Amino acid sequence: MQQFSGTGVAVVTPFSSDHTLDEAALRRIINFLIEGRVEYLVVLGTTGESATLSSDEKKRVIDIFFEETDNRVPLVLGSGGNHTAEICKQVEYYTEKYRPAGILSVSPYYNKPSQEGIYQHYKAVAGSTDLPVILYNVPGRTSSNVLAPTTLRLAHDCSNVVAVKEASGNFEQFMEILREKPAGFQVLSGDDAISIPMISLGAEGTISVIANALPLEFSEMIRAALAGRYEEARAIHYRIFPFMQLIFREGNPVGIKVLMNMLGVCEADVRLPLVAGSAELRALMQSHLAVK
């Protein structure tokens, strides 16, 4: 198994009712996920509301993760955006100060660069660190798709570009990458609901949202699928599938924080421009929790 196989979790950032960072809750979440037997944690991803955190808050969040994990699981730090030079500086800082297991970098958003622009952006990011870099393709958030030839070009040209978190939902694209990728390059699902079919085609795991709330169930599902125990994996999948759907009904991480709150893990507060989950969403989740 490769370095980022299994279940990684795109960890939420908990806030108190006054929308300040809830440090005690963050420490609880970290331990909850480790006890849930996930393989690694992703810090400051989009699910972590990194776009709404100040520079000082980001540093504090990272410090808490390193303190609380105490080398029990690997940490991957999120660093992506549409200003290539600034992202490179951030990655250099993370490399020198923290030495995480890797960097997860979302494709540039808003600018809608060409495939050559995406390639040059990632080439610059990879060149700013000796750490492993995981590409993150999520067209629904960035409004541009990192096409398979671009991913493969980066995988072949940049020795430390070691994986891609694919959230395009395009199975032809997944299969092209899986068929043509260099040895050791990992394809990871960026969509909880299609993790099992992606693994059946050759993906090696998932960077998950639902695992914030259901780490043990989800990580057991992924391990079963990777071991070829698909009947066992399917049983877990269909048991938790309603939650995979509901957590995105009102946006991410609104839904996952509502579910975590209902399970007693943390508060459900989010920062503007996100708003709190609705009573209807809570009622739907409660109906499924009652039969889970």
Side-chain angles (χ1 to χ4, degrees), residues 118-221:
I118 292 171
Y119 171 83
Q120 293 296 341
H121 167 85
Y122 272 126
K123 186 177 180 182
V125 171
S128 68
T129 182
D130 61 349
L131 295 172
V133 174
I134 305 170
L135 313 177
Y136 181 15
N137 181 34
V138 56
R141 283 182 178 261
T142 65
S143 295
S144 64
N145 185 18
V146 184
L147 297 177
T150 303
T151 297
L152 291 166
R153 186 181 172 196
L154 287 161
H156 284 282
D157 291 356
C158 304
S159 61
N160 62 329
V161 173
V162 300
V164 60
K165 177 184 176 183
E166 256 293 341
S168 66
N170 185 325
F171 273 83
E172 288 189 11
Q173 184 161 302
F174 304 154
M175 290 186 285
E176 185 176 348
I177 297 169
L178 285 160
R179 183 185 62 192
E180 303 294 340
K181 70 181 183 68
F185 184 82
Q186 295 182 280
V187 177
L188 310 171
S189 173
D191 185 341
D192 293 330
I194 60 173
S195 295
I196 293 177
M198 283 189 66
I199 288 171
S200 74
L201 292 167
E204 295 185 49
T206 305
I207 295 179
S208 172
V209 175
I210 193 63
N212 275 283
L214 306 172
L216 187 59
E217 295 96 324
F218 191 86
S219 61
E220 286 180 346
M221 181 190 82

Side-chain angles (χ1 to χ4, degrees), residues 10 44-51 106 136 138 141 165 252-253:
L44 299 181
T46 49
T47 301
E49 294 177 80
S50 55
V106 69
Y136 181 15
V138 56
R141 283 182 178 261
K165 177 184 176 183
N252 185 43

Side-chain angles (χ1 to χ4, degrees), residues 3-4 74-78 94 99-104 131-134 162:
Q3 184 174 9
F4 301 113
L75 295 177
V76 172
L77 300 189
Y94 288 168
R99 298 298 302 177
I103 299 292
L104 175 68
L131 295 172
V133 174
I134 305 170
V162 300

